[in-house]
Amino acid sequence: MDLIGVATTGGDAPGMNAAVRATVRKATANGLRVIGFEKGFAGILANESRFLDGRAVSGIIHLGGTFLKTARADEIKTPEGISKATEVLKENHLEGLVVIGGDGSMRAGCKLHEASGIPVIGIPATIDDDLAGTDTTIGFDTAVNTALDSLDKIRDTATSHERVFVVEVMGRKRGFVALEVGIGAGAEVILIPEIRYDIDKICGWLLESHRRGKKSAIIVIAEGAGDSTNVTEMLRQKTGFEVRLTKLGHVQRGGHPTAISRLLACEMGAASVQFLLDGKKKHMTGYQDNSVVPVDLEYASTTQKPLDERLYKLALELAT
Ligand code: F6P
């Protein structure tokens, strides 16, 4: 093996730079050359790349975002896109591709391997933490900490004004971010797509706890758990409390990666190259029980990651 490619794809996640750096440095340490594609699959489709040596990835381990840039490339979801990307990989004589991204990226990577026969290794990097076969993903811990920082600040004003705050966090269709942020922030209520909720019951609970002396509350809602504006309005009307809505939005995707996100990125980046050297063809660097293991890419991209029921029960117990 002589030449491999690397790309950061889909939504950016803090730690992507550290993952590219680890991939490049592990590859060069093993005598491989690396090209980096610009803007994820869009750059592969447009054949926009540059050679990356060890120096090209200096000074980026601590930076959020991705210096290779990224994009949402709908074309790669089509059979035409896959065959166009296959041609580009072959034209470049690539013997392996490392795709750093979320579930859509893993799906596309899988298809790309099937169409081209070129080994593809996926590195799970998404703030959503919604990939099966890995306990966690690069960027998740950073996003949770970023959101927690905001929640702590919102708690100050919620307490001072005796208000209810609804805080919407990211997570796409899943509630992993909301659950961990909610528990860490001591939220009174956590609304996630995986668990049905009843607004009337929540209002009853808020009124009852207000009667018992709890004058403010924080409700964390995952973006996939319903329209937060409607939820806020219903809570306002049914309780008569002052209810405010804060959508944290893309602030959760930026910033310096935490130690956990960086270490995961270093381990996974290095493992991706090792997997290629070991002859793996279609795998993801999964993190299980404190080590990086190969997980079938198809399994990772088609299986729904289960919610940690134990954590949800804990959230309920601690919110009383
Ligand atoms: O997948 C990461 C994520 O931030 C999701 O949490 C969110 O739903 C989505 O991306 C937002 O995507 P975009 O930045 O393309 O609007």
Side-chain angles (χ1 to χ4, degrees):
M1 183 172 283
D2 167 50
L3 179 66
I4 65 168
V6 62
T8 51
T9 55
D12 63 319
M16 277 182 160
N17 282 325
V20 176
R21 172 182 175 272
T23 304
V24 171
R25 296 240 167 126
K26 174 79 179 180
T28 49
N30 283 275
L32 305 181
R33 291 178 306 137
V34 186
I35 58 171
F37 287 98
E38 307 273 338
K39 298 188 189 164
F41 288 114
I44 294 180
L45 289 163
N47 198 6
E48 280 172 14
S49 69
R50 61 187 138 133
F51 276 97
L52 299 174
D53 60 10
R55 292 280 64 76
V57 290
S58 287
I60 60 168
I61 192 169
H62 60 298
L63 300 177
T66 161
F67 84 110
L68 280 180
K69 308 222 171 132
T70 186
R72 302 273 187 209
D74 286 341
E75 197 182 346
I76 199 69
K77 294 180 190 154
T78 66
E80 296 74 31
I82 290 291
S83 56
K84 196 163 153 192
T86 295
E87 273 172 37
V88 173
L89 299 187
K90 290 196 167 159
E91 226 172 85
N92 282 286
H93 306 290
L94 285 191
E95 292 159 274
L97 178 69
V98 176
V99 173
I100 305 171
D103 60 342
S105 310
M106 299 301 126
R107 265 193 299 280
C110 204
K111 290 204 178 114
L112 209 43
H113 166 71
E114 280 157 11
S116 66
I118 294 168
V120 175
I121 303 298
I123 297 183
T126 164
I127 65 157
D128 301 334
D129 194 25
D130 56 350
L131 275 157
T134 188
D135 296 344
T136 188
T137 55
I138 295 168
F140 173 68
D141 180 70
T142 307
V144 167
N145 277 293
T146 300
L148 266 182
D149 184 50
S150 299
L151 260 294
D152 290 347
K153 290 173 175 141
I154 287 171
R155 175 74 73 186
D156 290 344
T157 179
T159 313
S160 305
H161 282 264
E162 299 192 333
R163 282 174 174 164
V164 173
F165 269 85
V166 176
V167 184
E168 183 192 289
V169 298
M170 278 186 167
R172 204 179 281 278
K173 294 182 181 150
R174 304 302 308 275
F176 299 107
V177 175
L179 191 52
E180 295 212 5
V181 168
I183 292 174
E188 279 68 23
V189 179
I190 302 172
L191 305 178
I192 53 177
E194 293 85 351
I195 311 272
R196 283 172 76 88
Y197 58 87
D198 179 336
I199 289 286
D200 288 325
K201 274 197 191 150
I202 295 167
C203 291
W205 187 88
L206 286 173
L207 288 163
E208 172 55 22
S209 59
H210 188 267
R211 212 179 41 75
R212 283 190 280 111
K214 201 169 206 172
K215 303 296 184 201
S216 66
I218 289 185
I219 298 174
V220 171
I221 179 168
E223 63 176 337
D227 184 328
S228 56
T229 306
N230 283 347
V231 168
T232 305
E233 195 46 43
M234 279 193 278
L235 292 174
R236 197 176 282 141
Q237 281 173 14
K238 288 174 190 257
T239 60
F241 294 153
E242 268 195 285
V243 189
R244 294 284 190 271
L245 170 64
T246 304
K247 295 188 185 193
L248 294 186
H250 286 80
V251 72
Q252 296 159 99
R253 284 238 298 262
H256 297 299
T258 57
I260 288 180
S261 292
R262 291 184 204 192
L263 287 173
L264 201 58
C266 290
E267 286 208 62
M268 287 183 171
S272 69
V273 175
Q274 192 59 53
F275 288 0
L276 287 173
L277 293 170
D278 292 346
K280 302 236 173 322
K281 305 276 184 245
K282 182 175 65 99
H283 283 85
M284 183 182 85
T285 56
Y287 196 69
Q288 297 176 11
D289 301 326
N290 296 322
S291 51
V292 180
V293 294
V295 173
D296 182 71
L297 204 49
E298 192 160 350
Y299 169 83
S301 59
T302 55
T303 311
Q304 200 177 52
K305 183 175 188 170
L307 184 83
D308 190 342
E309 301 274 343
R310 191 189 50 85
L311 268 191
Y312 187 72
K313 284 194 189 122
L314 177 68
L316 290 180
E317 274 172 1
L318 301 186
T320 51

